[in-house]
Every structure is written in structure tokens, then in C-alpha cells.
Amino acid sequence: MSIDETTAARVAKLARIKVEPEALPVLAAEFNTILGFIEQLEEVDVEGVEPMTSVTPQRLKRRADVVNDGGQQEAVMRNAPDAREGFFAVPKVVE
């Protein structure tokens, strides 16, 4: 697949990046370099390779999925500029 200057300009517009017309050939060449690298990756034989999230085998720590209030309501309310009856008090904005 090859990216021409028209396609590079369209990608830049979709990404909302201002690219001067004289810079479009360089941008198109960079896109083509990236696509060439991706084509090289597609040639790699990955048959039988297990998916992994890290190069070192690790197990994620698991915890019980228990609903609780966090036990820190008082500490959180101390940070509020105005708290009443366990809730944040905010100024009235609708008249």
C-alpha cells in the first residue's frame, strides 16, 4: 500500500493537524515508511506463540470483588470547603 500526497493531506485534515503543502511529500514518505514496517511485521511467523502482556511471566494480583464505602468519608469531607450532613455543599446555580 502506498500513500500519496492527497491521502496524506486527508489524514492530516482528519487528525486536525495543519500541514503546509510543501511538507506533504515528507509526510507521505513517513507514512509509507510506517506502512512498510507494518508489512514487515506481517511476514513474521507467530504460529504457536502464546499472547503475552510482558516478557516476564507474571500473574495479576486478584482481590475479592466486594462493595464497600471505602471507610474514608470523614477524611474526604475534611477536604471539602463546605460539607453538611456528610455531603458536599455547593452554591445554588439555578434560580
Side-chain angles (χ1 to χ4, degrees):
M1 179 177 208
S2 180
I3 302 291
D4 58 353
E5 292 179 29
T6 306
T7 307
R10 179 166 160 68
V11 170
K13 181 180 178 186
L14 290 172
R16 298 182 186 264
I17 300 171
K18 182 179 180 182
V19 178
E20 299 298 329
E22 57 272 3
L24 285 174
V26 176
L27 183 62
E30 288 179 8
F31 283 152
N32 286 322
T33 302
I34 293 168
L35 290 176
F37 179 69
I38 293 171
E39 288 174 357
Q40 285 180 353
L41 289 176
E42 289 177 350
E43 295 173 4
V44 175
D45 181 23
V46 293
E47 189 67 32
V49 177
E50 291 290 323
M52 61 181 179
T53 58
S54 175
V55 294
T56 57
Q58 297 177 356
R59 297 280 305 165
L60 294 175
K61 295 179 182 176
R62 303 209 185 264
R63 61 181 169 91
D65 189 14
V66 179
V67 177
N68 61 32
D69 65 353
Q72 298 187 19
Q73 181 179 6
E74 292 176 12
V76 172
M77 288 295 127
R78 274 188 259 133
N79 290 326
D82 187 11
R84 297 179 196 152
E85 300 175 12
F87 296 97
F88 290 104
V90 294
K92 184 176 178 181
V93 292
V94 179
E95 304 221 11

